[in-house]
Amino acid sequence: MKKIILAAATALVATTAVASADTVTRRQAQQADRIEQGRQTGSITWTEGLKLRAEQKRIARTEDAYRDKGYLTKSERRELRSMQNEASASIAEKKYNSRERAWFLPRVGK
């Protein structure tokens, strides 16, 4: 009986850790797509794109540092969520600030 309870508890913890990891990764991918979509339409300029991608890399490095021990604590997930919220606000701000790439300039970078 104890083995069954231990196995169930282990599965629950593993599932929770994977779910939180998936959420963080999925949100990073969504934000990267928003940045790229803004770059393609011209609503995000080249320099704004550089800054936004640097912010995404900073979040990814922080996440990697937290995951070195194999899991994320509640406070680490909270901090990553806060960083992602700030990044999302930055993307929206840059996307809708009415600065656009001049039509005659080439789209540079990814």
Side-chain angles (χ1 to χ4, degrees):
M1 185 66 163
K2 287 183 181 180
K3 289 182 181 180
I4 294 172
I5 293 172
L6 181 61
T10 304
L12 179 65
V13 169
T15 304
T16 304
V18 169
S20 69
D22 185 43
T23 303
V24 171
T25 305
R26 185 176 57 239
R27 189 158 181 206
Q28 286 288 102
Q30 289 171 342
Q31 289 181 350
D33 289 343
R34 287 175 57 205
I35 294 168
E36 184 57 27
Q37 186 268 336
R39 288 284 297 122
Q40 288 179 353
T41 62
S43 61
I44 294 178
T45 65
W46 182 68
T47 54
E48 289 172 341
L50 287 176
K51 291 174 186 176
L52 292 171
R53 282 190 293 276
E55 188 174 25
Q56 293 297 313
K57 287 178 187 174
R58 192 170 38 254
I59 293 169
R61 280 194 309 269
T62 302
E63 179 185 1
D64 290 343
Y66 288 162
R67 286 191 191 281
D68 279 347
K69 65 181 176 291
Y71 62 93
L72 292 173
T73 64
K74 189 175 183 177
S75 63
E76 290 169 344
R77 284 193 308 268
R78 188 180 312 120
E79 185 176 345
L80 284 172
R81 195 170 36 251
S82 173
M83 290 174 76
Q84 287 177 328
N85 288 342
E86 290 173 16
S88 181
S90 294
I91 294 168
E93 177 189 341
K94 301 289 189 228
K95 212 170 179 182
Y96 301 110
N97 65 359
S98 73
R99 288 189 187 142
E100 292 188 356
R101 169 176 48 92
W103 64 271
F104 56 86
L105 292 176
R107 181 178 166 271
V108 180
K110 181 178 175 187

